[in-house]
Amino acid sequence: MEKNGSALILIVLGLIVLAFPLLGIIPLSLITGFIVLFLGIGLLLGGVAQMGESASIGIVEILLGIIALVLGIGFIFNPGLFSWLVGFIVWIVGLFLIIAGIIGIFSKTGGSRWNGVIAAIIGILYITVGTFIADPIILGVLIGLWLLITGILMLFIKE
């Protein structure tokens, strides 16, 4: 049931980010902060779910989740931090997704492998789109898609 609960939370978070990629007129630092915060929550949930299968992979995902949570909270409460890191945000989030994808690919379960492939592909897309287009709506949609697809795969691929 723990896996299904995590999957449902990821699906809900994905739908929230897809429905409100800009969250109205909130400044860009808040938007990015919330997106990175959701990414951190997703990585933490993935790490906790992974702990039963591989403690080392779970710990790496949890550490990435904590880093993402700290960055997300920093972006929300300190716009100056956002301004200072604005050029690196796309790379940070994209690299988190790629690293989480690689971890998923090397996981022992088949469902996690597919989650890993999806995360790595979306991470590469995130970096590419962020570098050349830099549209926060598209970047928010990519994070939403990752959360939604990961949640759906967790629900339907049983091991």
Side-chain angles (χ1 to χ4, degrees), residues 57-114:
I57 291 175
I59 290 170
V60 171
E61 268 191 277
I62 288 172
L63 288 174
L64 286 173
I66 291 169
I67 292 169
L69 283 174
V70 169
L71 285 174
I73 291 168
F75 295 153
I76 292 168
F77 292 109
N78 185 0
L81 174 65
F82 176 79
S83 297
W84 184 67
L85 289 175
V86 75
F88 299 109
I89 292 169
V90 169
W91 289 92
I92 291 168
V93 174
L95 288 175
F96 278 11
L97 284 167
I98 291 169
I99 292 169
I102 292 169
I103 290 169
I105 290 169
F106 289 111
S107 175
K108 294 178 181 170
T109 60
S112 292
R113 286 191 179 113
W114 279 112

Side-chain angles (χ1 to χ4, degrees), residues 90 125-139 142:
V90 169
L125 278 172
Y126 197 87
I127 290 173
T128 304
V129 168
T131 301
F132 296 111
I133 299 174
D135 185 351
I137 294 173
I138 296 172
L139 297 176
L142 286 173

Side-chain angles (χ1 to χ4, degrees), residues 3 50 53 101 103-118 153-154 156-159:
K3 185 176 177 181
Q50 189 70 28
E53 297 163 17
I103 290 169
I105 290 169
F106 289 111
S107 175
K108 294 178 181 170
T109 60
S112 292
R113 286 191 179 113
W114 279 112
N115 286 343
V117 169
I118 298 296
L153 287 174
M154 283 176 71
F156 292 110
I157 295 180
K158 303 293 181 191
E159 264 110 85

